[in-house]
Amino acid sequence: MTIRPAIRPAVTRRLALLMLGTALTCALGACSPGGTMPESNDKLDRSVLDAARNGTELRLSDATDFEWDQAGFITEGTPATEIESAFGEAITREKRYTASPALFVFLKDGKVAKAIRITPDAFSGSDAKKKYGREVALVPVEGRSGYLAWRE
């Protein structure tokens, strides 16, 4: 009587499960270019939309419930290389960011802490790819209903 045949299928199964787990982890974002994948945040997205619709100022720190010390954004179509240059990570697996009209990037101690998809198309590219401190506010643009500018 030998135990070898009984051990081989168990080892093979464990190895297959380990490989499957690794593949799933990569597919779900842990193997992203910079480690941070864009996510949704309904509270922040709704707050930005309300400020744009109502023409009101929004302090970004009031609309977030996580730690950050700098923030900025990019617009749809921004090349991954420009995102990496501005924020230290490419954040997207594609050559250009195309998942939403804007992507807010939040940094903590110089590293990307969160990247949040924003649905309102309310921002000027001239404010993009810059870092702003915790005092930044999204303010209505005079004469341009529905637009917000980043101001410290």
Side-chain angles (χ1 to χ4, degrees):
M1 173 163 110
T2 141
I3 328 176
R4 258 194 153 122
I7 292 176
R8 216 173 258 149
V11 170
T12 303
R13 270 193 305 267
R14 283 187 185 153
L15 198 55
L17 286 172
L18 178 62
M19 290 170 53
L20 179 62
T22 301
L24 283 172
T25 299
C26 286
L28 293 174
C31 295
S32 69
T36 305
M37 290 297 293
E39 60 186 73
S40 297
N41 182 308
D42 291 336
K43 176 187 174 193
L44 178 58
D45 194 60
R46 197 171 30 256
S47 296
V48 171
L49 182 59
D50 288 346
R53 278 186 182 156
N54 300 326
T56 56
E57 183 173 312
L58 172 68
R59 269 193 64 179
L60 198 52
S61 61
D62 292 341
T64 55
D65 58 358
F66 50 87
E67 292 286 321
W68 60 274
D69 51 31
Q70 288 183 306
F73 78 100
I74 56 106
T75 56
E76 183 176 30
T78 301
T81 55
E82 290 181 22
I83 299 169
E84 186 171 8
S85 177
F87 299 107
E89 290 184 29
I91 301 176
T92 179
R93 291 185 180 135
E94 306 301 321
K95 289 183 181 180
R96 295 181 174 280
Y97 178 75
T98 59
S100 66
L103 179 71
F104 283 14
V105 181
F106 295 90
L107 297 102
K108 179 69 177 159
D109 300 325
K111 296 187 187 222
V112 175
K114 285 193 182 281
I116 299 178
R117 292 182 298 270
I118 300 295
T119 57
D121 187 7
F123 304 99
S124 167
S126 63
D127 290 339
K129 296 182 275 184
K130 298 175 185 173
K131 295 176 188 169
Y132 301 87
R134 279 204 54 94
E135 298 303 314
V136 68
L138 307 180
V139 299
V141 176
E142 191 172 326
R144 294 192 70 194
S145 178
Y147 281 89
L148 299 169
W150 288 58
R151 296 292 178 261
E152 288 186 289

